């Protein structure tokens, strides 16, 4: 499986993975977005972008250069919760602040926490934001034991009630209402791992990037009461003394082509919760283009038919997807596919977003807590919000957990056919507009797994994944279905690679010989290597059997399952150089371990620096048992054929451009498990 390339500098990261046969996807991540929350935006990568697979690291990091095409703005997509009256958490604060511009107001920190009235309500001074600006917290009410902030403007100038040193009346001629009050969270923790290991600054490769975060949201009532009880103390300095509303745990998992997010909200006091786990702004349309969206099980609402390709650019008002809008009212809307189209209505890039049917995201659970709305799309941004719960009253100690996915799609695609993995479970999703007979979804990674329905479907599929994938038909448009793949394919551990840390293993065992490297100067030779499971390694060895001049440079490239050849991109790792004199085992010691992917990868070696005397290496007599595409000339089958080559490689390893097949047997190769 193609790996992730992770670029990191302190809190900023860009995650690169395969998009299609010739392009890569680059997604931003930010560990210190608004108020130190994890966000999906940073200034060096303002949008999710696609680049040619041959783009160098320097062209995409730390700033995405002109090589990229922006496809999706995710700057506001880290998901807050909603208390029924305000969004909070993520990059949001309680939106019941009142900002008042007053030239030379004379108030200082000593006045913070003081109370003021417009003759009807009490407003609390929360911050002196500048010599010409003040931030007040609005009053709250308590209904059925649950406090709610009030979105209201002062009806008259604010006169002093209690607590202030400077008691000059505050005029209300320049008021900005509904301002977000920050900070609105505290006790934030974050941990980053790539394949279970910490991610250092620089460039790393692996299979799965995971970011865990946790934070506490104080109650708004507690914020106001604490400010009033601690006059002269900025509220930001005593956040952990404010009575808490809830704790939020988020887990972000980046994989090839997308992201899976799990969110748990645990109530620490009684309140009303609306939560959606994920939110999604619309794709960026190309010049003159438009955006279309399909949602299975959704009928006609907001003036559009969502069972076909709804033109969301024409959406003019907030659109709710309630049980009344669904074809099956007991099953809340759970997914959508959106495409950005050119001016000629040709697919350019797409995205699939939804909730998985696990924990509180199971349709039977969601249907009990989303009777008002299960999904909505805002009128201003056309932002999609699936809802895990809507209007659910949470008692202290209760939790809600959901998992959402987003997967970017490359054209051309007649159907959304994806596999999403979360919590050790694999889900197969098929969604298609239009009828079709005997379509096939290729899922070789799930061969022989049992398919168990995980939601409503109008498709007929076999109960197991066959060698040729999942065959299905859509007799009536639209077609949709979701299944969980149950069971594990039989697989024995790979000898050696599953041994203890520090042990060496041979990817290919068998007889050997000594082979001279004549004719191979500055030719990068690539050999297919198979591993049964992803394996971290920290040392790589070859053996020189006859001394030569110059050096050997070696490394590893990803496998492209579409072409069956090395991926035409930068290497997973460049192991550096080893000397070819004197004879003996030559070992590269890696400063940072590299995780080699499960399945195929390509070991690459090139003789460089001085081409006067060819060295000889210990090579395998066994070759490798795999098919090898020869191209269009049958004569290429003549003689031994071991892999592909690239000419003119005189320095560090870069993106691959294949020249043809070669006849050099593979060096005997040993890895050391990290």
């Amino acid at each position: 499986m193609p790996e992730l390339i992770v670029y990191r500098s302190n809190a900023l990261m860009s995650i690169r993975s395969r998009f299609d046969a010739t392009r890569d996807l680059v997604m931003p991540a930010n560990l210190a977005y608004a108020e130190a929350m994890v966000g999906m935006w940073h200034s060096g990568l303002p949008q999710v972008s696609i680049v040619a697979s041959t783009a160098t690291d320097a062209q995409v990091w730390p700033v995405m250069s002109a090589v990229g095409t922006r496809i999706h703005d995710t700057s506001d997509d880290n998901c807050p919760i909603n208390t029924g009256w305000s969004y909070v958490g993520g990059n949001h604060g309680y939106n019941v602040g009142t900002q008042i511009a007053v030239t030379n107001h004379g108030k200082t920190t000593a006045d913070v926490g003081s109370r003021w009235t417009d003759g009807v309500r009490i407003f609390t001074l929360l911050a002196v934001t500048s010599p010409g600006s003040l931030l007040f917290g609005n009053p709250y009410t308590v209904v059925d034991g649950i406090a709610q902030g009030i979105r209201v403007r002062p009806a008259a100038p604010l006169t002093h009630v209690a607590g202030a040193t400077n008691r000059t009346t505050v005029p209300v001629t320049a008021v900005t209402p509904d301002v977000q009050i920050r900070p609105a969270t505290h006790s934030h923790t974050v941990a980053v791992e790539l394949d279970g290991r910490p991610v250092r600054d620089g460039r790393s490769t692996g299979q799965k990037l995971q970011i865990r975060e946790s934070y506490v949201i104080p109650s708004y009532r507690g914020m106001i009461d604490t400010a009033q009880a601690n006059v002269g103390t900025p509220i930001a300095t005593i956040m952990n003394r404010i009575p808490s509303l809830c704790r939020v745990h988020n887990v972000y998992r980046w994989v090839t082509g997308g992201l899976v997010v799990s969110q748990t909200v645990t109530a620490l006091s009684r309140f009303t919760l609306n939560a959606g786990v994920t939110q999604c702004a619309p794709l960026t349309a190309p010049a003159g283009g438009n955006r279309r969206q399909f949602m299975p099980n959704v009928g006609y609402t907001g003036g559009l038919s969502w069972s076909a390709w709804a033109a969301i650019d024409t959406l003019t008002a907030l659109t709710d997807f309630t049980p009344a809008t669904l074809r099956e009212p007991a099953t809340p809307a759970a997914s959508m596919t959106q495409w950005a189209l050119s001016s000629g209505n040709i697919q350019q890039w797409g995205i699939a977003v939804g909730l998985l049917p696990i924990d509180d995201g199971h349709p039977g659970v969601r249907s009990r807590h989303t009777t008002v709305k299960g999904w909505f799309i805002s009128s201003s941004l056309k932002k999609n919000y699936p809802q895990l719960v809507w209007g659910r009253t949470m008692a202290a100690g209760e939790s809600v957990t959901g998992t959402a996915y987003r997967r970017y799609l490359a054209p051309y695609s007649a159907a959304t056919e994806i596999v999403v993995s979360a919590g050790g479970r694999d889900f197969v999703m098929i969604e298609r507009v239009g009828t079709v007979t005997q379509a096939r979804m290729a899922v070789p990674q799930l061969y022989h797994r049992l398919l168990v329905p995980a939601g409503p479907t109008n498709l007929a599929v076999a109960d197991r994944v066959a060698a040729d994938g999942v065959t299905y038909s859509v007799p009536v448009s639209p077609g949709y279905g979701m299944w969980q793949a149950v069971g594990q394919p039989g697989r024995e551990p790979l000898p050696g690679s599953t041994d203890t840390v520090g042990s060496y293993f041979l990817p290919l065992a068998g007889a050997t010989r000594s082979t001279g490297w004549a004719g191979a100067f500055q030719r990068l030779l690539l050999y297919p290597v198979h591993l049964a499971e992803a394996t971290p390694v920290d040392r790589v060895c070859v053996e020189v059997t006859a001394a030569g001049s110059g050096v050997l440079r070696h490394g590893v490239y990803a496998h492209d399952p579409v072409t069956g050849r090395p991926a035409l991109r930068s290497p997973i790792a460049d192991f550096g150089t080893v000397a070819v004199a004197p004879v003996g085992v030559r070992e590269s010691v890696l400063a940072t371990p590299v995780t080699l992917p499960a399945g195929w990868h390509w070991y690459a070696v090139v003789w460089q620096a001085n081409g006067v005397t060819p060295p000889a290496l210990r090579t395998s007599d066994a070759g490798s048992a795999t098919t090898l595409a020869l191209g269009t000339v049958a004569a290429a089958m003549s003689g031994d054929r071991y892999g592909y080559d690239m000419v003119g490689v005189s320095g560090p390893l870069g993106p691959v451009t294949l020249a043809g097949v070669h006849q050099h047997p593979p060096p005997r190769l040993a890895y050391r498990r990290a």
Side-chain angles (χ1 to χ4, degrees):
M1 182 177 70
E3 82 292 349
L4 302 178
I5 300 174
V6 179
Y7 308 95
R8 180 176 183 180
S9 176
N10 295 320
L12 306 184
M13 294 188 290
S14 291
I15 302 98
R16 181 174 181 176
S17 65
R18 173 70 66 185
F19 183 65
D20 59 20
T22 61
R23 295 179 293 177
D24 291 349
L25 180 78
V26 190
M27 301 177 65
N30 190 338
L31 305 182
Y33 194 39
E35 298 179 15
M37 301 293 101
V38 171
M40 291 179 272
W41 179 92
H42 65 73
S43 58
L45 184 61
Q47 290 198 19
V48 175
S49 300
I50 49 178
V51 300
S53 296
T54 54
T56 65
D57 295 337
Q59 289 176 306
V60 303
W61 177 259
V63 175
M64 177 66 73
S65 66
V67 298
T69 300
R70 298 180 180 184
I71 67 169
H72 194 203
D73 180 2
T74 55
S75 60
D76 197 38
D77 278 6
N78 55 327
C79 202
I81 64 166
N82 185 284
T83 62
W85 53 272
S86 175
Y87 284 98
V88 66
N91 60 340
H92 291 67
Y94 288 114
N95 65 345
V96 286
T98 296
Q99 193 88 32
I100 303 178
V102 186
T103 303
N104 299 321
H105 53 67
K107 306 279 189 294
T108 67
T109 299
D111 300 302
V112 169
S114 57
R115 287 172 284 166
W116 302 76
T117 183
D118 64 351
V120 180
R121 302 176 180 87
I122 298 295
F123 292 80
T124 303
L125 181 61
L126 293 182
V128 178
T129 52
S130 75
S133 181
L134 300 170
L135 177 65
F136 289 86
N138 289 6
Y140 62 81
T141 61
V142 179
V143 178
D144 193 23
I146 298 175
Q148 298 183 7
I150 302 173
R151 299 175 69 175
V152 61
R153 297 172 64 111
L158 296 179
T159 58
H160 179 255
V161 174
T165 299
N166 183 314
R167 301 176 180 181
T168 304
T169 297
V170 179
V172 292
T173 54
V175 172
T176 303
D178 304 334
V179 172
Q180 294 188 32
I181 299 171
R182 302 177 184 277
T185 64
H186 65 86
S187 303
H188 183 255
T189 63
V190 63
V192 186
E193 292 181 338
L194 181 62
D195 297 336
R197 298 170 181 269
V199 180
R200 300 178 177 89
D201 280 3
R203 181 185 189 272
S204 305
T205 60
Q207 302 294 312
K208 182 176 70 175
L209 175 69
Q210 179 171 278
I211 300 177
R212 293 180 177 272
E213 75 169 342
S214 174
Y215 56 85
V216 173
I217 300 175
S219 73
Y220 181 70
R221 177 182 185 178
M223 183 180 292
I224 297 300
D225 291 352
T226 300
Q228 293 178 357
N230 294 271
V231 173
T233 303
I235 197 71
T237 66
I238 53 173
M239 293 292 286
N240 58 0
R241 290 162 54 181
I242 302 174
S244 299
L245 183 76
C246 65
R247 178 177 289 277
V248 178
H249 291 274
N250 293 323
V251 181
Y252 302 85
R253 299 179 184 90
W254 278 266
V255 294
T256 301
L259 172 67
V260 176
V261 182
S262 296
Q263 184 177 75
T264 297
V265 181
T266 302
L268 300 177
S269 60
R270 189 167 182 264
F271 79 107
T272 300
L273 174 66
N274 305 327
V277 183
T278 191
Q279 55 183 347
C280 182
L283 293 171
T284 301
N290 63 92
R291 291 160 291 200
R292 302 297 175 98
Q293 182 168 314
F294 163 67
M295 300 181 69
N297 193 37
V298 178
Y300 188 90
T301 188
L304 299 172
S305 173
W306 303 90
S307 293
W309 288 108
I312 64 170
D313 295 285
T314 66
L315 202 63
T316 59
L318 173 70
T319 301
D320 290 331
F321 298 90
T322 65
T325 67
L326 305 176
R327 294 185 169 194
E328 297 181 46
T331 304
S335 62
M336 71 88 169
T337 296
Q338 186 181 120
W339 281 95
L341 308 177
S342 68
S343 58
N345 287 328
I346 305 300
Q347 291 178 348
Q348 301 299 300
W349 42 81
I351 189 171
V353 175
L355 292 171
L356 292 179
I358 55 179
D359 300 317
D360 292 281
H362 189 280
V365 178
R366 281 187 69 213
S367 64
R368 298 199 302 270
H369 300 292
T370 56
T371 54
V372 176
K373 66 174 75 180
W375 192 298
F376 69 93
I377 301 179
S378 62
S379 57
S380 58
L381 295 176
K382 283 45 170 202
K383 183 179 287 189
N384 285 269
Y385 287 88
Q387 293 302 303
L388 190 68
V389 296
W390 185 271
R392 178 175 174 177
T393 299
M394 304 278 289
E398 282 191 299
S399 294
V400 165
T401 299
T403 300
Y405 64 90
R406 62 174 62 200
R407 181 71 56 81
Y408 290 95
L409 309 173
Y412 169 75
S413 176
T416 302
E417 300 172 348
I418 59 176
V419 177
V420 177
S421 300
R425 288 171 281 191
D426 299 315
F427 294 93
V428 175
M429 280 166 273
I430 300 174
E431 299 173 358
R432 187 168 188 142
V433 176
T435 60
V436 68
T437 302
Q438 295 296 295
R440 181 174 65 88
M441 175 184 179
V443 281
Q445 72 273 32
L446 300 181
Y447 172 60
H448 205 59
R449 299 273 294 275
L450 182 67
L451 294 179
V452 177
T457 178
N458 60 358
L459 307 177
V461 301
D463 61 354
R464 286 190 184 274
V465 179
D468 62 348
V470 178
T471 302
Y472 66 94
S473 298
V474 181
V476 178
S477 180
Y480 52 89
M482 178 183 291
W483 302 264
Q484 183 177 346
V486 178
Q488 295 291 331
R491 185 184 72 187
E492 292 294 327
L494 183 68
S497 71
T498 52
D499 203 354
T500 57
V501 170
S503 62
Y504 292 83
F505 65 95
L506 298 170
L508 183 63
T512 64
R513 55 177 159 161
S514 179
T515 303
W517 238 237
F521 185 63
Q522 294 186 357
R523 287 178 66 196
L524 184 70
L525 307 175
L526 296 111
Y527 303 91
V529 179
H530 188 274
L531 294 178
E533 59 192 36
T535 306
V537 300
D538 60 7
R539 298 191 181 191
V540 188
C541 306
V542 294
E543 184 184 356
V544 177
T545 55
S549 61
V551 297
L552 290 176
R553 181 181 293 275
H554 57 165
V556 166
Y557 284 86
H559 177 67
D560 187 342
V562 176
T563 64
R565 299 184 178 193
L568 303 181
R569 59 187 300 173
S570 297
I572 294 175
D574 185 334
F575 300 146
T577 61
V578 293
V580 292
V583 298
V585 173
R586 294 288 175 265
E587 184 173 57
S588 292
V589 179
L590 310 183
T592 301
V594 172
T595 297
L596 301 177
W600 293 102
H601 69 266
W602 293 81
Y603 172 75
V605 61
V606 54
W607 173 31
Q608 295 178 335
N610 186 321
V612 174
T613 305
L617 302 182
R618 182 79 62 194
T619 58
S620 172
D621 245 355
S624 57
T626 181
T627 57
L628 196 70
L630 299 175
T632 58
V633 180
M637 72 168 286
S638 178
D640 297 333
R641 298 295 177 185
Y642 295 102
Y644 303 100
D645 70 352
M646 174 181 171
V647 297
V649 180
S650 58
L653 303 183
V656 171
T657 55
L658 299 179
V661 291
H662 66 78
Q663 293 182 289
H664 290 267
R668 163 155 280 190
L669 173 66
Y671 292 124
R672 192 181 85 157
R673 182 176 177 84

